[in-house]
Amino acid sequence: MIVFNGCLTGAAKKYYIDKMMKAGTKLLIILFSMTIPFWVFFSLKIQVLIEGMCTILVTILLLPVVFRLCVSKKEKERINLKKVSIKDGEIKAISEKNSVCNNLSKVKEVRDCGEFYDIVFPSIYFISIYVCQKDLLSTGTLEEFELLFGEKIVRCNTD
C-alpha cells in the first residue's frame, strides 16, 4: 500500500488545478457539442442558419475562457487532492469535492516531474487525474512506487 496524504501545494497544486481545468473544459465542449443538432434544427426553423452556426462556433471558442473565469479560488481549493492511495491494483484520489478510482493496469505512463508524479491514463479517462506530491508520501516509499510502475516512469524536462 502506498499513500500520499495531504493537500497538494506549490508546483504540484498548480499543475493539478490546471490539468483539472483543461479536463473540465473538454467535458463542457463535449456536452455543448452534443447540443449542436438541436441548434442547427432551431436555426433552420427560424431561418438564421449562418448566424446560428457563427454563434455556436464563437460559443465553443469562448467556453474555455468563460469556464476558467467562473471557477472561484474556493472551488479550486475544493477540487485540490487531499489523498492518493494505491492498494490492491487500484489507485484512488480523494478531494473535498469528489473521488476517482481506477485500475492500475490502465496506467499509460507515470511522469516524474521532480517534486511530484503525474499518473497518466489513456485519453478516454480524461477526468482521471492523479498527481502525487513526493513529500506527502505517508505510507510506503518512493522506491516501492517506482518499482510498482517500473518501465512506465518517464522523467519530465524541468527546463
Side-chain angles (χ1 to χ4, degrees):
M1 180 174 190
I2 300 171
V3 178
F4 295 87
N5 202 6
C7 291
L8 297 176
T9 58
K13 179 181 177 182
K14 184 180 182 312
Y15 181 84
Y16 175 75
I17 297 295
D18 187 53
K19 206 166 176 185
M20 282 297 286
M21 290 291 129
K22 288 177 184 174
T25 301
K26 285 179 190 175
L27 183 61
L28 269 178
I29 288 173
I30 289 169
L31 292 174
F32 184 78
S33 296
M34 294 170 82
T35 67
I36 288 177
F38 165 77
W39 294 113
V40 169
F41 175 76
F42 184 70
S43 297
L44 285 171
K45 273 294 199 201
I46 61 171
Q47 299 175 348
V48 291
L49 182 62
I50 300 204
E51 294 88 347
M53 293 302 99
C54 289
T55 303
I56 290 170
L57 179 64
V58 168
T59 303
I60 288 175
L61 292 174
L62 290 177
L63 267 176
V65 175
V66 172
F67 178 70
R68 285 183 180 265
L69 290 174
C70 291
V71 178
S72 67
K73 285 184 180 182
K74 190 174 184 179
E75 187 65 19
K76 289 178 183 176
E77 287 301 319
R78 289 184 63 219
I79 64 174
N80 189 14
L81 287 179
K82 293 185 182 288
K83 183 177 183 178
V84 176
S85 63
I86 301 170
K87 181 181 177 183
D88 299 330
E90 289 190 336
I91 182 167
K92 185 173 187 177
I94 300 170
S95 71
E96 188 177 313
K97 188 163 182 168
N98 58 20
S99 67
V100 180
C101 186
N102 285 96
N103 195 311
L104 284 178
S105 66
K106 292 185 169 70
V107 172
K108 182 177 172 183
E109 72 178 15
V110 177
R111 297 181 185 142
D112 183 349
C113 300
E115 66 182 71
F116 61 92
Y117 293 105
D118 176 22
I119 301 173
V120 181
F121 285 83
S123 298
I124 195 160
Y125 300 99
F126 66 92
I127 276 305
S128 297
I129 300 171
Y130 299 88
V131 174
C132 305
Q133 189 170 328
K134 292 179 181 179
D135 62 356
L136 295 177
L137 183 65
S138 62
T139 305
T141 64
L142 293 177
E143 290 77 22
E144 284 179 71
F145 181 88
E146 292 194 3
L147 187 63
L148 180 66
F149 291 105
E151 305 260 329
K152 293 182 180 179
I153 296 180
V154 177
R155 308 286 178 211
C156 292
N157 285 340
T158 55
D159 297 334

